[in-house]
């Protein structure tokens, strides 16, 4: 099979590898679509993210969907032919965090495209049967792949306690911000303000249902008519994070999704005086059933985010699309083409 590997910063190449065989409890998936994430682009440009360093050829891509073509021992044969969305992290299922249901915090997590675990820029991948989630035929391959970033939005809304009538502020209208806007609305939020410096992305947020658009080049999130109760921080831009936390209503919740470096200034007196809750998020746990339901019911549109499609031999173009084109939102790689 053909596989796209990252050899080091700025160096991706198409290579031939053996099709993997599914082990006990595993399925083999013929990959139809893989979303390109900012983390893939970061590995491509820098060869590392924090302490995760690319030291041997790494297959990128962790937002994947496809069709099961083979099952390993112990997996029902009926699963062959099933279209599935792949949840890219498989925890050990036995540690204290896993047993508490917080499997996203499992210290033994094996996550696609995180060194040394290979991802899905490949014609075939294997995964644990429970992490290959069946999707309905009405859902496109791209949408099935983008259930992964959608899961980040679902998890952020859960952590933020978004519910009917919530006033929500989303900072950053990139792919994650745009799914966060849609998730907040689907969770029942009635006011969803979104801020960004990119007018095209703001306009798309408006089309997807955001009720207030804040052009951060000339407006401030502190000037909203009513203070938001929940912040879904998706920009990772330290000055924006501080301003947004200061804008929160009393007893508000700030959910930090975007990655903005190791340390940022925190408006601590505001956090104390208003009893704000500030939390991080790390990936997600048990979000696929919700994500599948939201897309199937038409409550969330992830196909709308796709601005480019590439073949496996165009991985480099796919990884640099967001740099080259400011109107690019989400690109996908289709490994069978
Ligand atoms: Zn575990």
């Amino acid at each position: 099979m053909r596989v796209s590997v990252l050899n080091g910063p700025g160096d991706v190449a198409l290579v031939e590898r053996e099709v993997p065989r599914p082990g006990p409890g595993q399925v083999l998936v013929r990959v139809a679509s893989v979303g390109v994430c900012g983390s893939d682009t970061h590995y491509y440009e820098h060869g590392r993210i924090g302490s995760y360093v690319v030291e041997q050829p790494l297959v990128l891509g962790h937002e994947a969907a496809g069709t099961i073509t083979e099952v390993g021992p112990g997996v029902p044969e009926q699963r062959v032919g099933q279209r599935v969305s792949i949840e890219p992290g498989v925890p050990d299922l036995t540690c204290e965090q896993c047993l508490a249901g917080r499997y996203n915090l499992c210290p033994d997590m094996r996550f696609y495209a995180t060194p040394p675990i290979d991802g899905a820029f490949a014609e075939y991948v294997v995964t644990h049967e429970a992490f290959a989630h069946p999707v309905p035929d009405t859902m496109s391959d791209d949408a099935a792949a983008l259930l992964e970033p959608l899961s980040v939005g679902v998890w952020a809304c859960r952590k933020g306690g978004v519910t009917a009538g919530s006033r929500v502020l989303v900072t950053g209208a990139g792919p994650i911000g745009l799914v966060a806007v849609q998730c907040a609305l689907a969770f029942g939020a009635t006011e969803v303000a979104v801020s960004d410096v990119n007018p095209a992305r703001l306009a798309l947020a408006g089309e997807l249902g955001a009720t207030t658009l804040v052009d951060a080049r000339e407006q401030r999130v502190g000037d909203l008519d009513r203070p938001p109760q929940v912040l879904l921080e998706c920009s990772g831009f330290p000055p924006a994070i501080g301003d947004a936390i200061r804008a929160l209503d009393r007893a508000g919740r700030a959910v930090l999704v975007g990655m903005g470096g190791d340390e940022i200034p925190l408006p601590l007196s505001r956090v104390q005086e208003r009893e704000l809750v500030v939390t991080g998020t790390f990936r997600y746990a048990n979000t696929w059933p919700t994500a599948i339901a939201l897309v199937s019911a038409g409550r969330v549109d992830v196909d709308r985010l796709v601005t480019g499609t590439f073949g496996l031999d165009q991985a480099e173009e796919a990884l640099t699309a967001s740099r080259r084109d400011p109107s690019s939102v989400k690109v996908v790689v289709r490994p069978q083409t």
Side-chain angles (χ1 to χ4, degrees):
M1 67 169 181
R2 295 174 308 143
V3 176
S4 174
V5 296
L6 176 69
N7 292 308
D11 179 10
V12 288
L14 208 55
V15 300
E16 281 287 328
R17 282 192 187 173
E18 293 278 312
V19 175
R21 300 300 308 273
Q26 289 188 322
V27 295
L28 178 69
V29 177
R30 185 174 65 230
V31 183
S33 177
V34 192
V36 176
C37 172
S39 65
D40 296 312
T41 298
H42 201 279
Y43 277 122
Y44 170 76
E45 291 179 343
H46 304 282
R48 66 185 302 155
I49 294 180
S51 59
Y52 291 100
V53 182
V54 178
E55 288 168 337
Q56 60 196 59
L58 177 73
V59 181
L60 294 174
H62 62 266
E63 306 175 353
T67 302
I68 294 177
T69 57
E70 196 182 332
V71 294
V75 181
E77 192 67 32
Q78 304 91 281
R79 294 210 60 185
V80 172
Q82 231 173 32
R83 295 177 66 243
V84 293
S85 172
I86 297 177
E87 181 169 355
V90 177
D92 63 15
L93 302 171
T94 58
C95 74
E96 183 180 342
Q97 298 300 329
C98 283
L99 295 181
R102 300 183 294 257
Y103 65 81
N104 57 316
L105 301 180
C106 175
D108 296 320
M109 178 74 87
R110 295 171 56 85
F111 200 92
Y112 276 3
T114 303
I117 309 298
D118 280 332
F121 282 4
E123 290 186 82
Y124 291 87
V125 292
V126 289
T127 191
H128 190 296
E129 58 172 326
F131 291 78
H133 301 273
V135 296
D137 284 336
T138 51
M139 190 184 296
S140 72
D141 292 331
D142 293 343
L146 298 184
L147 296 180
E148 200 277 346
L150 176 55
S151 281
V152 175
V154 168
W155 190 243
C157 285
R158 286 193 194 151
K159 295 287 275 188
V162 177
T163 186
S166 290
R167 298 190 302 276
V168 176
L169 168 62
V170 178
T171 43
I176 296 298
L178 292 169
V179 296
V181 165
Q182 296 189 74
C183 284
L185 292 163
F187 275 58
T190 45
E191 294 178 30
V192 180
V194 57
S195 70
D196 202 290
V197 295
N198 181 325
R201 289 184 166 190
L202 276 181
L204 181 51
E207 290 168 30
L208 293 171
T211 56
T212 304
L213 306 178
V214 179
D215 185 333
R217 294 172 304 177
E218 49 205 32
Q219 295 166 283
R220 293 170 51 83
V221 294
D223 295 336
L224 293 168
D225 290 340
R226 301 175 70 196
Q229 298 157 318
V230 182
L231 164 65
L232 306 177
E233 205 304 301
C234 301
S235 77
F237 182 56
I241 300 171
D243 283 350
I245 290 174
R246 268 188 291 274
L248 277 172
D249 201 356
R250 291 170 171 77
R253 299 176 74 88
V255 183
L256 305 183
V257 184
M259 296 181 193
D262 284 344
E263 296 186 15
I264 62 159
L266 187 69
L268 193 58
S269 60
R270 189 62 68 102
V271 170
Q272 291 175 315
E273 289 160 11
R274 295 197 167 180
E275 289 200 346
L276 305 181
V277 174
V278 179
T279 180
T281 54
F282 189 64
R283 298 171 180 155
Y284 34 67
N286 192 29
T287 48
W288 255 255
T290 302
I292 291 168
L294 290 177
V295 172
S296 301
R299 301 291 182 92
V300 168
D301 184 355
V302 283
D303 285 300
R304 191 65 195 288
L305 306 181
V306 178
T307 50
T309 60
F310 297 88
L312 197 56
D313 56 346
Q314 298 171 300
E316 183 160 13
E317 286 150 274
L319 288 162
T320 55
S322 60
R323 283 276 176 278
R324 289 181 284 111
D325 177 8
S327 66
S328 171
V329 177
K330 191 76 189 177
V331 306
V332 297
V333 169
R334 294 186 177 151
Q336 305 302 325
T337 63

